[in-house]
Amino acid sequence: MHETNYLKNRWWRVMKVDFLKQALTLAELRKGHCAPNPSVGAVIVKDDKVLATGYHWGAGHPHAEVMALNQLSPSLSRNADLYVTLEPCCHHGKTPPCTDAIIQSGITRVFYGLKDPDIRVSSKGVAALLAAGIACIHLQLPEIERFYQSYRYWQIYQKPYVTAKLALSFDGKIAGAHGKPVKISNTIADEFTHQQRKLADALLTTARTVYHDDPQLNVRLPAELLQKPVYVLDRTLSISDKAKIFTTAERLTLFHSDKVSEDKISHYQNKGAICIPVPEMGAKNLLSWESILNEIGKAGVQDLWVEAGTTCFESLALANCLQQAYLYFSPVYIGFEGISAFLTMQNLFAKVQKSSWQILGQDAVCQLIWHGEA
């Protein structure tokens, strides 16, 4: 069958798509753990039978294609098909090019889900395989497009794809009087939050949230306890060095004003924190989101999960730095003395492109997308 006619055969395409979805399931296993690399899954098939599978564990580890190929002898991989979620790489990084391993293996066809937006790879990986006589078929799937939206965004803008979470009571409050913590979301919604933390490359909060809530900001699921890199906006460097995040974060970074004294900076550095100065902006002397997100992007963070209060949420949205948000609505009443979720609604949600709802126990969660997919 000629390559251009493959996609016209519906039965053929359904079968091939199924193998590519298996590769996506493998890629999902390491989402949030591979940055600055993308998470990738691969499946090797011969005579419509899966021979080997692989996924990228993290930067410096073998890529998904190589992990799968290493499980097979040359006689088994010869004339087999490779299904991979992302176009195979063709450049030398911490590991050799995957295209070299594929060519040497005797693989005859490669089905891939997304053309790599990395300019070092984009179309070049496919070109290298085609030059070696290996057929390359691009099977586009909405699931794979969504899976790589943050990777694609980071490649284009060199900034993280930012998602913020905010839990609201029935009367629109996020905390009690004077910021006193109040349990709002239920246990099902809490588990959803921890799943989102797991999928993120890093988490961000504010000094105010640390002061009021003293959060752990790690991943706590029934069978998993994971640490994540944590960023804190702390303009004056005032958080307690006894805060939980000093021990629960995989790596702690404090963004502070460039006017903070060297003595303060040294104190937190001696406690193991990374301190990054940021210019202040506007009449309120808020830290520059542009500078903050540039720094986080330089660290290779593609997915950034934000858990903070309404000031942080609003400033992100109004600065056009928020791509996505989850608003949790819970049947809890706090009262008029509580802290309101939004000080002003004007222009805050005007640019939302898409919204959807899901029910988590008695809570309702609204997903808002500001800028869509990159």
Side-chain angles (χ1 to χ4, degrees):
M1 184 184 295
H2 192 272
E3 184 176 322
T4 56
N5 293 325
Y6 285 154
L7 300 183
K8 296 179 181 178
N9 186 312
R10 184 178 179 184
W11 174 86
W12 182 91
R13 190 182 192 284
V14 168
M15 182 173 61
K16 303 305 180 186
V17 163
D18 184 62
F19 290 131
L20 195 56
K21 286 183 178 179
Q22 290 184 47
L24 176 59
T25 299
L26 293 165
E28 290 170 341
L29 294 175
R30 294 300 292 172
K31 176 74 171 172
H33 300 278
C34 294
N37 293 350
S39 181
V40 179
V43 175
I44 298 175
V45 177
K46 184 187 281 189
D47 298 325
D48 298 329
K49 294 181 180 179
V50 174
L51 300 182
T53 62
Y55 53 86
H56 185 41
W57 184 263
H61 292 267
H63 289 188
E65 303 95 313
V66 173
M67 182 180 179
L69 286 169
N70 285 344
Q71 300 170 38
L72 300 177
S73 65
S75 60
L76 284 176
S77 62
R78 190 174 300 116
N79 298 321
D81 293 337
L82 169 67
Y83 295 81
V84 62
T85 53
L86 188 68
E87 177 183 2
C89 70
C90 56
H91 66 285
H92 284 271
K94 292 184 178 179
T95 56
C98 289
T99 49
D100 288 357
I102 294 168
I103 292 167
Q104 293 166 9
S105 71
I107 292 285
T108 55
R109 291 187 301 188
V110 173
F111 298 84
Y112 66 101
L114 184 78
K115 183 171 77 171
D116 197 329
D118 186 337
I119 59 173
R120 298 171 299 175
V121 181
S122 186
S123 297
K124 298 181 182 71
V126 166
L129 295 174
L130 291 173
I134 299 172
C136 296
I137 300 96
H138 184 196
L139 289 179
Q140 288 183 286
L141 298 180
E143 301 96 316
I144 289 180
E145 295 287 328
R146 287 193 295 271
F147 182 78
Y148 286 117
Q149 68 177 359
S150 56
Y151 172 62
R152 191 166 54 242
Y153 186 91
W154 179 73
Q155 283 291 345
I156 295 170
Y157 302 108
Q158 291 299 293
K159 296 177 185 177
Y161 187 91
V162 181
T163 302
K165 168 252 182 181
L166 202 61
L168 290 73
S169 67
F170 183 74
D171 54 338
K173 311 294 183 180
I174 63 168
H178 310 295
K180 182 180 179 180
V182 176
K183 177 61 177 170
I184 296 177
S185 53
N186 64 33
T187 55
I188 300 174
D190 288 344
E191 184 167 329
F192 176 82
T193 295
H194 284 271
Q195 289 286 0
Q196 298 306 308
R197 289 180 183 178
K198 180 182 176 181
L199 297 173
D201 297 317
L203 315 179
L204 181 144
T205 191
T206 64
R208 184 173 182 177
T209 298
V210 173
Y211 173 77
H212 285 293
D213 299 346
D214 195 17
Q216 297 183 59
L217 287 181
N218 53 9
V219 178
R220 302 186 302 279
L221 292 167
E224 292 179 295
L225 177 62
L226 304 172
Q227 292 182 311
K228 287 285 182 175
V230 176
Y231 295 93
V232 180
L233 308 189
D234 189 5
R235 186 172 64 87
T236 61
L237 282 184
S238 60
I239 64 170
S240 168
D241 55 25
K242 301 296 192 297
K244 293 174 183 174
I245 52 172
F246 278 87
T247 56
T248 58
E250 177 184 309
R251 182 180 68 253
L252 180 61
T253 302
L254 307 178
F255 286 110
H256 58 85
S257 168
D258 52 12
K259 300 173 184 176
V260 169
S261 71
E262 288 297 326
D263 287 344
K264 272 194 172 184
I265 294 171
S266 296
H267 172 78
Y268 287 100
Q269 289 175 333
N270 290 335
K271 296 295 181 179
I274 300 168
C275 296
I276 300 179
V278 176
E280 298 176 355
M281 303 292 288
K284 295 183 179 180
N285 296 326
L286 297 178
L287 299 181
S288 164
W289 278 118
E290 183 75 13
S291 299
I292 290 166
L293 296 179
N294 280 337
E295 288 290 341
I296 295 175
K298 276 193 270 184
V301 173
Q302 298 157 24
D303 269 296
L304 181 67
W305 176 259
V306 178
E307 290 188 38
T310 184
T311 301
C312 180
F313 187 100
E314 287 184 342
S315 65
L316 269 172
L318 294 175
N320 293 317
C321 293
L322 187 60
Q323 280 70 57
Q324 184 177 226
Y326 288 98
L327 299 183
Y328 299 37
F329 294 91
S330 182
V332 172
Y333 180 80
I334 293 178
F336 72 94
E337 291 185 347
I339 303 297
S340 295
F342 304 112
L343 302 178
T344 174
M345 298 290 285
Q346 185 179 6
N347 299 324
L348 191 59
F349 300 109
K351 296 182 180 180
V352 170
Q353 293 184 359
K354 184 180 178 182
S355 63
S356 60
W357 290 85
Q358 59 181 307
I359 303 300
L360 299 176
Q362 290 186 317
D363 292 356
V365 177
C366 180
Q367 180 187 18
L368 303 174
I369 298 177
W370 268 260
H371 301 293
E373 298 179 358

